[in-house]
């Protein structure tokens, strides 16, 4: 399967925080096909363990997250429209005028759009449009009234997830889709598992994907407790700001060296290891100072403290229906991750942990 087809398959799956089952099923099928036996944590994270034959080998965890941002129905109005609460961070300005799918408790799929006030209805009113609160945005399934919506099985607590088609950009260098945050990570771990299938390693690897990252890094707290790694590598996508006049995160500039975010500062030993590995592997990298967090922020506080970092890429306009990301950035990140995991001997891990 070509890389674009793999990206398309993963990004068009609809799975938001707490409702990651469809992505988990996809990962499970692929993991088994690659010869691995997955196991699950108590919240639904999925992982495989590739055990080293080295005695007392260090334990290294590489984790994506499965969830994308979405919404949950909070109320059904008399006119049959819905109001919601967000699952993850949304800019209200990108929500209106979009297509979504509502999933009922029984799995029925209901097409939904978000309503925007047409300019015609503002003329002569003297009203200046304001940025809406998420709770005020109209989600409309074209039902006549609340009773009809209920007849179709819709209820409070149902989830609503963006629906888009994944396409290739005109220049063939980029892809446009939803949910690269963080189906990027999901594809990264699958590609890594394929690469490692016939290899013996000096470290035991725990490779998989967490749940509920977008709502507070919840899954990583559970999985790191369960698997007790010596080191943790999140694999996640961050926002590019290159089209907004900021050089912090540029498309096509390679994988990110995430030295800082509000919940995590990279330790010196990890920083030195990443810089040395990238230089040796001739991987294109860019320094990234983040304004949001990843599962590394939760993992590094787990157990007695777990040195952690994020192997990432950037994408434009994340947490929306249309994200743009660079194909070579993915390839650079994959090369980086392969070189990282194949060089983590007992001695190297001790060096990283010698802060």
């Amino acid at each position: 399967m070509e890389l674009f087809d793999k990206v398309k398959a993963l990004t068009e799956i609809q799975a938001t925080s707490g409702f990651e089952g469809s992505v988990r099923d996809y990962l499970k099928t692929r993991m088994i096909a690659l010869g691995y036996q997955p196991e699950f944590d108590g919240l639904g994270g999925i992982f495989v363990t590739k055990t080293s034959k080295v005695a007392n080998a260090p334990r290294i965890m590489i984790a994506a997250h499965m969830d994308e941002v979405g919404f949950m129905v909070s109320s059904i109005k008399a006119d049959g429209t819905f109001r919601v609460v967000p699952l993850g961070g949304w800019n209200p300005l990108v929500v209106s005028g979009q297509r979504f799918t509502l999933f009922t408790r029984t799995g029925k799929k209901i097409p939904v759009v978000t309503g925007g006030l047409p300019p015609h209805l503002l003329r002569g009113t003297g009203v200046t449009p304001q940025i809406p609160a998420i709770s005020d945005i109209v989600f409309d399934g074209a039902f006549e009234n609340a009773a009809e919506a209920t007849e179709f099985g819709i209820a409070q607590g149902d989830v609503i997830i963006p629906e888009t088609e994944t396409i290739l950009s005109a220049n063939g260098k980029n892809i446009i889709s939803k949910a690269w945050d963080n189906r990027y990570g999901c594809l990264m771990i699958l590609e890594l598992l394929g690469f490692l299938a016939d290899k013996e390693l000096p470290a035991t690897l725990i490779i998989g994907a967490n749940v509920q990252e977008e709502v507070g890094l919840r899954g990583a707290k559970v999985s790191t407790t369960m698997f007790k790694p010596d080191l943790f590598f999140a694999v996640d996508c961050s926002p590019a700001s290159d089209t907004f006049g900021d050089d912090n995160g540029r498309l096509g500039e390679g994988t990110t060296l995430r030295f800082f975010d509000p919940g995590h500062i990279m330790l010196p030993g990890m920083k030195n290891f990443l810089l040395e590995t990238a230089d040796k592997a001739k991987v294109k990298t860019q320094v990234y100072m983040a304004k949001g967090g990843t599962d590394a922020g939760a993992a590094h506080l787990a157990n007695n403290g777990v040195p952690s970092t994020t192997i990432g890429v950037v994408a434009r306009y994340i947490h929306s229906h249309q994200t743009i990301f660079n194909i070579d950035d993915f390839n650079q990140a994959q090369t980086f991750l392969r070189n990282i995991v194949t060089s983590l001997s007992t001695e190297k891990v001790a060096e990283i942990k010698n802060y």
Side-chain angles (χ1 to χ4, degrees), residues 175-188:
I175 296 174
I176 304 171
S177 79
K178 69 169 182 64
W180 194 230
D181 176 15
N182 186 30
R183 306 299 157 69
Y184 151 75
C186 294
L187 183 54
M188 282 281 286

Side-chain angles (χ1 to χ4, degrees), residues 106-119:
T106 59
K108 184 187 296 184
K109 298 180 180 181
I110 306 293
V112 170
V113 301
T114 39
L117 191 62

Side-chain angles (χ1 to χ4, degrees), residues 189-270:
I189 61 152
L190 289 175
E191 294 292 281
L192 181 64
L193 286 170
F195 170 75
L196 295 174
D198 59 353
K199 292 178 173 57
E200 293 295 335
L201 300 171
T204 290
L205 302 183
I206 303 101
I207 302 174
N210 288 309
V211 297
Q212 298 193 40
E213 189 269 357
E214 298 290 2
V215 290
L217 316 181
R218 298 173 185 174
K221 299 172 186 177
V222 175
S223 61
T224 49
T225 300
M226 177 176 174
F227 290 103
K228 296 179 174 55
D230 294 291
L231 301 177
F232 180 94
F233 293 86
V235 192
D236 206 347
C237 173
S238 300
S241 53
D242 53 359
T243 53
F244 299 103
D246 188 342
D247 289 337
N248 189 41
R250 299 182 64 84
L251 240 61
E253 292 300 315
T255 187
T256 54
L257 296 171
R258 191 184 181 104
F259 292 156
F260 170 89
D261 70 42
H264 181 267
I265 298 172
M266 192 188 297
L267 294 175
M270 180 68 79

Side-chain angles (χ1 to χ4, degrees), residues 32-354:
I32 291 172
L34 289 168
Y36 298 94
Q37 184 56 50
E39 56 185 315
F40 308 90
D41 64 38
L43 292 185
I46 180 171
F47 294 90
V48 301
T49 300
K50 186 174 178 62
T51 303
S52 174
K53 294 180 179 179
V54 174
N56 301 312
R59 296 172 61 80
I60 312 301
M61 193 167 189
I62 302 100
H65 70 84
M66 290 178 270
D67 53 324
E68 63 184 290
V69 292
F71 299 96
M72 180 178 286
V73 175
S74 58
S75 64
I76 303 173
K77 299 299 183 182
D79 63 2
T81 62
F82 320 119
R83 301 300 183 271
V84 302
V85 293
L87 299 175
W90 282 94
N91 176 353
L93 292 175
V94 306
V95 178
S96 295
Q98 301 287 352
R99 285 188 60 192
F100 296 82
T101 303
L102 183 151
F103 291 82
T104 69
R105 184 172 62 85
T106 59
K108 184 187 296 184
K109 298 180 180 181
I110 306 293
V112 170
V113 301
T114 39
L117 191 62
H120 315 65
L121 302 185
L122 290 170
R123 292 173 186 159
T125 65
V127 174
T128 301
Q130 302 293 317
I131 297 175
I134 293 294
S135 58
D136 293 330
I137 295 174
V138 175
F139 284 73
D140 193 341
F143 296 107
E144 291 186 355
N145 49 45
E148 186 179 42
T150 302
E151 288 173 7
F152 275 80
I154 296 166
Q156 290 170 298
D158 290 343
V159 293
I160 297 176
I161 305 172
E163 180 173 337
T164 62
E165 179 187 3
T166 299
I167 59 174
L168 194 65
S169 65
N171 61 12
K173 298 176 182 178
N174 305 293
I175 296 174
I176 304 171
S177 79
K178 69 169 182 64
W180 194 230
D181 176 15
N182 186 30
R183 306 299 157 69
Y184 151 75
C186 294
L187 183 54
M188 282 281 286
I189 61 152
L190 289 175
E191 294 292 281
L192 181 64
L193 286 170
F195 170 75
L196 295 174
D198 59 353
K199 292 178 173 57
E200 293 295 335
L201 300 171
T204 290
L205 302 183
I206 303 101
I207 302 174
N210 288 309
V211 297
Q212 298 193 40
E213 189 269 357
E214 298 290 2
V215 290
L217 316 181
R218 298 173 185 174
K221 299 172 186 177
V222 175
S223 61
T224 49
T225 300
M226 177 176 174
F227 290 103
K228 296 179 174 55
D230 294 291
L231 301 177
F232 180 94
F233 293 86
V235 192
D236 206 347
C237 173
S238 300
S241 53
D242 53 359
T243 53
F244 299 103
D246 188 342
D247 289 337
N248 189 41
R250 299 182 64 84
L251 240 61
E253 292 300 315
T255 187
T256 54
L257 296 171
R258 191 184 181 104
F259 292 156
F260 170 89
D261 70 42
H264 181 267
I265 298 172
M266 192 188 297
L267 294 175
M270 180 68 79
K271 183 177 182 179
N272 291 337
F273 168 67
L274 293 184
L275 289 171
E276 291 167 2
T277 302
D279 183 63
K280 183 177 180 181
K282 295 181 171 54
V283 172
K284 188 190 299 185
T285 63
Q286 56 181 315
V287 172
Y288 190 77
M289 304 295 180
K291 296 180 180 179
T294 74
D295 277 337
H300 87 295
L301 297 177
N303 306 327
N304 294 321
V306 182
S308 303
T309 191
T310 302
I311 307 304
V313 294
V314 297
R316 294 174 182 165
Y317 326 123
I318 69 170
H319 288 212
S320 76
H321 279 64
Q322 310 295 343
T323 295
I324 299 176
F325 49 94
N326 183 264
I327 296 169
D328 187 59
D329 286 346
F330 176 87
N331 291 329
Q332 294 291 323
Q334 185 64 217
T335 298
F336 196 26
L337 187 57
R338 289 176 177 182
N339 279 272
I340 286 168
V341 300
T342 54
S343 62
L344 284 170
S345 63
T346 299
E347 294 74 22
K348 182 59 67 174
V349 171
E351 185 179 316
I352 292 169
K353 296 176 76 171
N354 185 21

Side-chain angles (χ1 to χ4, degrees), residues 9-30:
L10 268 165
T11 53
E12 289 186 355
I13 296 173
Q14 294 168 290
T16 189
S17 305
F19 298 84
E20 295 93 348
S22 52
V23 175
R24 183 167 49 248
D25 290 345
Y26 180 90
L27 295 177
K28 178 182 176 182
T29 299
R30 289 287 308 278

